[in-house]
Amino acid sequence: MTLDEQRRLMRSGAVYNDLTDELVQARERTVLTTDRYNASFGQPAEVRVAILGQLFARVGSRVHFEPTLRCEFGFHVTVGDDVYANFDCVLLDGGGITLGNRVLLGPRVGIYTTNHVLDPRERAAGACYAKPVVLGDDVWVGGGVTINQGVTIGDGAVIGSGSVVTRSVPPNVVAAGVPARVLRPITDADRTGYLDA
């Protein structure tokens, strides 16, 4: 099976073999590319964004990931404009990760689209499945958050630090906890007047 066929299988949500030579080699290439990106800290932004362009399917403008960035493949990641990820971001992107515009990720955020099957013999043989994760526009994810497969976080949502997101989160709410749950809506009362000064 070619790498393109395996990628289609991964994106379909079907069980696939994570240990094929093609996927092992793809992960190795990704490690080398992320190592180049992480080592490029301090170089001009255009150099760093060019490396991200080699790694991700799409990179918008004004995108910055603090070192260290780690991801599984990269080729299933799309990043919008004005995205900032603090240090130690981990992206397991077998099922596809979409980061909208103006997304802010705190330190040590992990987004995991890939999972192993439950049967121990199948798991040892490399059986995995993946489901996409989508973060809408204007999403803020606090430090130390884990986002699990199949989750969509709606536009304008805020996820509190240390949360584990196992279900989709609607737009314009604050959600937190383990597992994360909606705490309250974000309203005009949350405006600080910063932009009015």
Side-chain angles (χ1 to χ4, degrees):
M1 186 179 293
T2 68
L3 180 58
D4 284 343
E5 291 169 329
Q6 291 183 60
R7 287 178 60 184
R8 278 192 292 279
L9 188 63
M10 294 163 75
R11 294 297 297 263
S12 76
V15 174
Y16 62 93
N17 183 350
D18 193 43
L19 301 177
T20 64
D21 289 341
E22 295 84 5
L23 293 182
V24 169
Q25 291 168 8
R27 280 193 296 276
E28 288 172 357
R29 284 190 300 273
T30 300
V31 168
L32 295 174
T33 305
T34 55
D35 283 350
R36 275 193 307 120
Y37 177 79
N38 292 325
S40 73
F41 192 74
Q43 293 185 17
E46 56 271 10
V47 170
R48 304 189 84 229
V49 170
I51 298 170
L52 287 178
Q54 296 166 11
L55 182 64
F56 295 153
R58 180 189 180 281
V59 179
S61 59
R62 296 170 306 281
V63 171
H64 181 79
F65 286 77
E66 292 286 341
T68 56
L69 164 66
R70 291 288 174 217
C71 67
E72 187 175 23
F73 300 108
F75 48 56
H76 291 156
V77 177
T78 61
V79 182
D81 298 331
D82 301 306
V83 172
Y84 175 82
N86 214 315
F87 59 83
D88 294 341
C89 183
V90 176
L91 305 172
L92 264 60
D93 62 298
I97 295 173
T98 302
L99 302 179
N101 299 312
R102 298 169 305 280
V103 169
L104 177 60
L105 302 179
R108 295 195 171 103
V109 168
I111 302 175
Y112 305 105
T113 71
T114 306
N115 204 351
H116 302 281
V117 299
L118 295 180
D119 181 83
R121 291 180 309 148
E122 290 181 348
R123 186 170 59 243
C128 290
Y129 63 97
K131 296 178 182 176
V133 170
V134 177
L135 276 63
D137 295 339
D138 302 301
V139 169
W140 175 21
V141 178
V145 170
T146 298
I147 301 171
N148 286 322
Q149 64 176 186
V151 166
T152 296
I153 298 177
D155 294 348
V158 174
I159 308 298
S161 295
S163 297
V164 177
V165 184
T166 59
R167 282 181 240 133
S168 292
V169 174
N172 301 309
V173 299
V174 176
V178 179
R181 61 183 177 81
V182 173
L183 301 179
R184 67 177 182 84
I186 297 171
T187 68
D188 285 341
D190 291 303
R191 292 188 186 278
T192 64
Y194 171 77
L195 296 176
D196 299 333

